[in-house]
């Protein structure tokens, strides 16, 4: 039966080539004929390309052809078992036992898709274009071609009778539309009176479909007949092919006989020699392997011996080498099948032993007596332990050392407290049981000595920790350096090997015999002496017996095999210990670098631990307010001790710990608050008891001021003998100027110097002290204003009145403080960091407040005289006697004012003050003369006023320091004269108007 393969175009070279190429033109509307059901036993399985080539005897002998068909086409389509044609279409075509089942695809038919024809279409498209071009130029005139065309046209005409629905590629009766189009249900409806006509229609449909089937069978038979010549040619060529195969078989047999003779004569002897050489090499290898096995057998006893002497690194190297030998050279040895797991368990045991040993070493090293000796304890033992731990990647040993440091730091403080308490007889340990309570019973000198002892022990402790960690750090760096050098050597060797490989001839011929390369046998024979020499160097001699258990300690019995590539390099630790760095360290450079950083962090952690324990010790003593009750000198001494310890630890560890510094800052803040509150309370009490009278200046205060003048702001040392001989002075001399002050200001200056000295002693409280000192100065200014200008001293102290002398004295005291504010500012500026210079603006605000206060006092003095002038000059009358009583009283009051302030204020300030008073006097005198209508007209009244003014001027200039004062009394009359002229002018204008 024809399939889709048999209906393809004829092979190339056929006489009907032109005909079929013309008909496969894709532009022609020829529907592809669906393949019929397959009834043949075999089906071609070749690819699609084999269908388009010419017939071949070799390739086509097993291909299915039309001659393999055992059933003709009509028999396949018509059931011969039926006696007659039935009216039903299905029973007629498929038989009585027809069951609609799914057709199983054939295993012999490939799944053909459009991709199988892609290559053919690409090959044929160009030829088709050429053919079409030639056909248009020269149309075919051959009679045979016309006959073929006529035949094809006839076949095409017959096929056109078949409806196109049967030619569709997607024709399927399971589609309801297709089924209804092919088999209308009207032909099978036998109900009613139209049964005979429907039966006739069904028979007509059946005949029509049978006719369509006959047309298709005829066209298929025609297609098969066109390919019959190729099939008959293949059958005739099959006999010739069988003759060719017979001759070929005889030639192959002769060739095999000749090859067998050549092998027996020329190759068998040589190969036997090679086999013997190979056997000898194998025997040598077995002998060496047995010696190696004997050596490996002694691994466990040797490891036990090494562990008994704490040689952990040697034991680990031996285990690693043995495991490498087991995996490479002794792999598959049945007697050693459990040795690898035993060595792994032994290695885990060594890991635990090393960790326990390191913990023991750390405890012994850190708990030695804390003396001045800072040497590392058993340096070689430490180096060995660290190498073993690094080799096994046990990097948590630093955590063990850190835990030991914490425990040791606690024990140091506890032991120091016990030793100190035991030396003091006043403390009864039977009554006071707790150690903390016993420590709190110490007074400051005793507790201070205890703290100093703790700090010294902590310093030695940190030095020991640093020395130990330096050894560990050096070991890590040596391993890291060795890794880098090994990597560089490997890179150099790789470059050399690459250059050597490029220079060698790579064309090597191999002869194969019994599955083995003969060239390998030669190469192994050449390398055998080298291997023997290497083994002899390891095992003393090639002919010696395997090592016994009696010679375990000999160097020859170690398992340093040729496969073990362990090499060592010598390095030196800063302590003087030479170390051997093995190449089988499993740590990477990043891990070693991280470990080195962790060592440095552990040193920082040691410093933090000491500081934290010191902080807890301080806090336990400060629970009862002990530290807050310290005086200035005691706290300064404590602060200096703590700062010294902080600097020492920073120098040892390379980083400043902040916990103790923070505790010191916290205590310093509390000290500053108490310091400030005490002095502010003291100043408040002094001001509340101050009667604002000039006080004598003791010699020590004068020395204090003199020391400030020298540029030093510090409390001078007391000189008992010299102070008793010197008498107090009336005024305070500051840089050549005399200051009459009250006793409160003298003490305030001393308090200010205490603030400045505290900043020098405790630099960390500079900002707090600046704020507190600013608050103190503001408090003195405001409280002075309340007591003097605000007359608060009348109620507080009981003064009867606030005199001009009180005002002048308070002004001079304020001027003294203003004089020292720039000095104080410079002192703090030199100790403040640049980013906190903005805090110095407080001194500018204080200076401004003080100047405003001084100006208010001066205004108050002027206001006192102004009210006196207003009271006296308002009753002034221009009449005899001269000088008048009014001017006598004014001069008397001016003299009292001068006597009150001249000894207190400097001469310049006194002159400025009296100029302002004189201006007020002139203003009131002008007002009164204007009221009395006295003008400078040369009359009697003018003369009386002139005489009084001359008396006032003479008395004022007669006062001390006011002789050269320019009073400018002539302006009284000048302004009065102008006023009189204006009045006369207006009077004349008024008379002229009327």
């Amino acid at each position: 039966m024809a399939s889709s393969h048999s209906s393809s175009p004829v092979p190339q070279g056929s006489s009907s080539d032109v005909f079929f190429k013309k008909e496969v033109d894709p532009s022609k509307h020829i529907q592809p004929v669906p393949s019929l059901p397959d009834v043949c036993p075999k089906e071609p399985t070749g690819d699609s390309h084999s269908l388009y080539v010419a017939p071949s005897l070799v390739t086509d002998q097993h291909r299915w052809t039309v001659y393999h068909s055992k059933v003709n086409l009509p028999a396949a389509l018509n059931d011969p078992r039926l006696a007659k044609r039935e009216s039903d279409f299905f029973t007629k075509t498929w038989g009585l036992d027809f069951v609609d089942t799914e057709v199983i695809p054939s295993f012999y038919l490939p799944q053909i898709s459009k991709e199988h024809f892609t290559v053919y279409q690409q090959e044929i498209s160009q030829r088709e274009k050429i053919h079409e071009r030639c056909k248009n130029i020269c149309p075919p005139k051959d009679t045979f071609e016309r006959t073929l065309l006529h035949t094809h046209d006839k076949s095409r005409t017959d096929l056109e009778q078949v409806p196109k629905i049967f030619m569709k590629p997607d024709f399927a009766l399971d589609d309801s539309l297709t089924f209804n189009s092919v088999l209308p249900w009207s032909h099978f409806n036998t109900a009613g009176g139209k049964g005979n006509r429907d039966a006739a229609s069904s028979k007509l449909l059946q005949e029509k479909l049978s006719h369509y089937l006959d047309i298709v069978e005829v066209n298929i038979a025609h297609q098969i007949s066109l390919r019959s010549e190729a099939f008959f040619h293949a059958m005739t060529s099959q006999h010739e092919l069988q003759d060719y195969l017979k001759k070929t078989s005889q030639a192959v047999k002769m060739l095999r006989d000749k090859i067998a003779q050549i092998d027996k004569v020329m190759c068998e002897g040589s190969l036997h020699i090679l086999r013997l050489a190979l056997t000898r090499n194998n025997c040598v290898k077995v002998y060496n392997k047995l010696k190696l096995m004997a050596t490996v057998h002694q691994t466990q006893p040797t490891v036990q011996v090494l562990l008994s002497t704490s040689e952990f690194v040697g034991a680990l190297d031996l285990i690693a080498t043995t495991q490498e030998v087991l995996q490479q050279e002794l792999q598959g040895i049945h007697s050693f099948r459990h040795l690898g797991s035993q060595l792994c368990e032994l290695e885990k045991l060594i890991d635990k032993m090393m960790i326990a040993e390191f913990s023991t070493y750390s405890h012994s090293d850190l708990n030695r007596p804390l003396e001045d000796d800072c040497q590392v304890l058993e340096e070689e033992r430490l180096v060995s332990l660290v190498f073993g731990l690094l080799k096994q990647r046990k990097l948590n040993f630093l955590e063990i050392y850190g835990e030991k440091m914490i425990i040791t730091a606690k024990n140091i403080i506890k032991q120091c407290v016990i030793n100190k308490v035991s030396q003091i007889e006043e403390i009864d340990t039977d009554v006071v049981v707790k150690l903390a309570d016993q420590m709190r019973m110490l007074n400051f000198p005793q507790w201070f000595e205890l703290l100093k002892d703790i700090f010294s022990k902590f310093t030695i402790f940190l030095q020991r920790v640093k020395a130990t960690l330096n050894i560990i750090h050096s070991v890590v760096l040596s391993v890291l350096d060795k890794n880098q050098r090994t990597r560089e050597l490997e890179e150099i060797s790789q470059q050399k090997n690459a250059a050597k490989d490029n220079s060698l001839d790579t064309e090597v011929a191999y002869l194969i015999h019994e599955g083995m390369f003969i060239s390998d046998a030669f190469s192994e024979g050449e390398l055998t002496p080298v291997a023997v020499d290497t083994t002899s160097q390891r095992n003393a001699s090639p002919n010696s017996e395997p090592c016994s258990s009696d010679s375990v300690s000999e160097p020859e019995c170690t398992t340093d095999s040729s496969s073990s590539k362990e090499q060592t390099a010598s390095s030196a630790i800063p302590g003087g210990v030479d170390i051997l760095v093995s190449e089988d360290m499993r740590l990477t450079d990043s891990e070693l670098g991280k470990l080195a950083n962790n060592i440095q962090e552990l040193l920082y952690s040691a410093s933090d631990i000491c500081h934290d324990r010191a902080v807890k010790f301080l806090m336990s003593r400060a629970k009862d307010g002990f530290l807050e009750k310290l005086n200035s000198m005691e706290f300064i001494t404590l602060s200096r001790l703590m700062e010294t310890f902080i600097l020492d630890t920073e120098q040892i560890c390379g980083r400043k710990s902040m916990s103790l510094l923070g505790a010191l800052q916290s205590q310093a803040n509390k000290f500053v608050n108490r310091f400030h509150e005490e002095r502010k309370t003291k100043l408040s009490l002094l001001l509340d008891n101050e009667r604002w009278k000039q006080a004598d200046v003791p010699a020590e205060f004068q020395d204090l001021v003199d020391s400030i003048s020298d540029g030093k702001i510090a409390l001078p040392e007391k000189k008992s003998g010299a102070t008793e001989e010197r008498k107090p002075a009336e005024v305070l001399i500051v840089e050549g100027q005399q200051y009459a002050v009250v006793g409160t200001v003298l003490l305030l200056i001393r308090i200010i110097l205490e603030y400045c000295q505290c900043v020098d002693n405790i630099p960390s409280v500079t900002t707090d002290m600046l704020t507190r000192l600013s608050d103190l100065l503001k408090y003195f200014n405001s409280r002075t204003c309340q007591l003097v200008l605000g007359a608060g001293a009348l109620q507080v102290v009981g003064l009867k009145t606030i005199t001009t002398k009180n005002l002048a004295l308070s002004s001079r005291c304020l001027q003294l403080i203003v004089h020292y504010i720039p000095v104080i500012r410079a002192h703090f500026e030199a100790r403040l960091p640049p980013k906190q210079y903005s805090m110095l603006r407080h001194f500018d605000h204080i200076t401004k407040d003080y100047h405003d206060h001084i100006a208010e006092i001066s205004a108050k003095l002027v206001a006192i005289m102004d009210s006196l002038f207003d009271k006296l000059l308002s009753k002034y009358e221009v009449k005899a006697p001269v000088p008048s009583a009014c001017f006598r009283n004014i001069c008397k009051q001016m003299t009292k004012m001068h006597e009150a302030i001249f000894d207190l204020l400097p001469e310049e300030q006194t002159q400025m003050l009296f100029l302002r008073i004189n201006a007020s006097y002139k203003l009131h005198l002008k007002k009164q003369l204007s009221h009395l209508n006295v003008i400078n007209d040369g009359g009697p009244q003018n003369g009386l006023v002139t005489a009084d003014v001359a008396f006032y001027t003479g008395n004022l200039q007669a006062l001390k320091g006011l002789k050269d004062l320019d009073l400018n009394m002539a302006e009284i009359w000048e302004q009065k004269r102008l006023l009189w002229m204006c009045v006369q002018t207006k009077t004349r204008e008024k008379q002229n108007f009327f």
Side-chain angles (χ1 to χ4, degrees), residues 766-780:
T766 302
T767 55
D768 292 337
M769 278 296 182
L770 190 151
T771 305
R772 301 301 193 280
L773 181 57
S774 301
D775 179 67
L776 187 71
L777 294 175
K778 290 178 181 179
Y779 176 77
F780 174 75

Side-chain angles (χ1 to χ4, degrees), residues 865-876 886 890 924:
M865 297 305 298
D866 183 78
S867 61
L868 182 63
F869 291 149
D870 184 48
K871 179 180 179 181
L872 295 177
L873 290 177
S874 62
K875 299 178 181 181
Y876 174 62
C886 177
I890 289 173
H924 286 283

Side-chain angles (χ1 to χ4, degrees), residues 433-500:
V433 180
K434 292 185 178 180
L435 191 62
D437 296 336
Q438 296 174 3
M439 182 265 297
R440 293 190 186 97
M441 296 179 66
L442 300 175
N443 55 29
F444 178 76
Q446 295 170 346
W447 181 81
F448 184 78
E449 291 297 327
L450 173 60
L451 182 62
K452 184 186 295 185
D453 184 35
I454 291 174
F455 283 166
S456 63
K457 295 294 179 60
F458 274 157
T459 303
I460 300 174
F461 168 73
L462 289 177
Q463 290 174 352
R464 287 185 178 178
V465 170
K466 182 179 181 181
T468 303
L469 293 180
N470 283 340
I471 297 297
I472 300 175
H473 190 264
S474 300
V475 172
V476 173
L477 292 182
S478 63
V479 174
L480 180 60
D481 180 66
K482 179 59 181 177
N483 288 350
Q484 294 176 352
R485 284 188 291 161
T486 303
R487 193 182 305 109
E488 293 175 357
L489 292 176
E490 288 178 355
E491 293 177 356
I492 295 173
S493 63
Q494 289 177 0
Q495 294 176 359
K496 291 182 179 180
N497 292 335
K500 182 184 293 184

Side-chain angles (χ1 to χ4, degrees), residues 357-367 400-401 404 408:
E357 184 73 13
F358 184 80
S359 178
T360 304
Y361 173 82
S362 302
H363 183 270
S364 302
D365 179 51
L366 296 176
N367 288 276
I400 298 174
Y401 196 78
K404 296 296 181 181
T408 304

Side-chain angles (χ1 to χ4, degrees), residues 128-144:
E128 185 178 1
K129 292 179 182 179
I130 298 173
H131 172 71
E132 291 295 333
R133 192 181 304 113
C134 295
K135 183 178 67 173
N136 294 332
I137 297 174
C138 300
K141 298 180 181 180
D142 190 10
T143 305
F144 177 72

Side-chain angles (χ1 to χ4, degrees), residues 737-956:
Q737 293 188 9
Q738 296 181 356
Y739 286 89
V741 294
V742 296
T744 301
V745 174
L746 294 176
L747 295 176
L748 176 60
I749 293 175
R750 185 179 183 86
I751 291 173
I752 292 173
L753 294 184
E754 290 177 354
Y755 276 83
C756 296
Q757 188 174 13
C758 187
V759 169
D760 291 336
N761 296 327
I762 312 175
S764 59
V765 299
T766 302
T767 55
D768 292 337
M769 278 296 182
L770 190 151
T771 305
R772 301 301 193 280
L773 181 57
S774 301
D775 179 67
L776 187 71
L777 294 175
K778 290 178 181 179
Y779 176 77
F780 174 75
N781 185 37
S782 60
R783 188 60 177 163
T784 301
C785 182
Q786 293 173 3
L787 293 174
V788 180
L789 282 179
L794 300 180
Q795 292 81 21
V796 176
V797 185
L799 297 179
K800 295 181 180 180
T801 181
I802 301 298
T803 63
T804 55
K805 192 170 185 178
N806 299 139
L807 292 172
L809 192 60
S810 65
S811 175
R812 196 56 175 162
C813 292
L814 293 174
Q815 291 174 22
L816 178 62
I817 302 300
V818 169
H819 174 78
Y820 282 112
I821 286 179
V823 181
I824 300 170
R825 175 193 174 102
H827 181 80
F828 277 91
E829 184 177 3
R831 288 152 182 82
L832 278 176
K835 62 180 180 180
Q836 294 181 346
Y837 281 167
S838 58
M839 297 185 65
L840 297 174
R841 68 180 184 277
H842 294 300
F843 292 111
D844 299 333
H845 299 328
I846 293 172
T847 303
K848 181 178 179 302
D849 294 340
Y850 271 71
H851 282 302
D852 293 341
H853 191 184
I854 293 170
E856 290 177 3
I857 293 175
S858 299
K860 182 66 176 178
L861 293 173
V862 175
I864 292 173
M865 297 305 298
D866 183 78
S867 61
L868 182 63
F869 291 149
D870 184 48
K871 179 180 179 181
L872 295 177
L873 290 177
S874 62
K875 299 178 181 181
Y876 174 62
E877 295 180 358
V878 183
K879 62 181 181 177
V882 177
S884 64
C886 177
F887 273 82
R888 288 178 183 272
N889 290 332
I890 289 173
C891 291
K892 183 179 178 181
Q893 295 298 329
M894 293 288 282
T895 302
K896 289 182 179 181
M897 169 68 76
H898 181 269
E899 291 176 353
I901 67 174
F902 182 76
D903 294 333
L904 302 177
L905 298 178
E907 185 176 346
E908 296 80 7
Q909 293 183 18
T910 304
Q911 290 179 359
M912 293 300 298
L913 181 61
F914 273 91
L915 282 176
R916 294 177 62 186
I917 293 173
N918 183 60
S920 175
Y921 159 75
K922 289 189 293 183
L923 182 61
H924 286 283
L925 181 58
K926 292 176 186 178
K927 181 179 178 182
Q928 185 64 22
L929 293 178
S930 176
H931 177 70
L932 297 176
N933 199 17
V934 178
I935 59 176
N936 188 12
D937 55 356
Q941 290 182 341
N942 186 14
L944 293 174
V945 172
T946 303
D948 288 336
V949 170
F951 175 76
Y952 165 80
T953 303
N955 279 277
L956 189 58

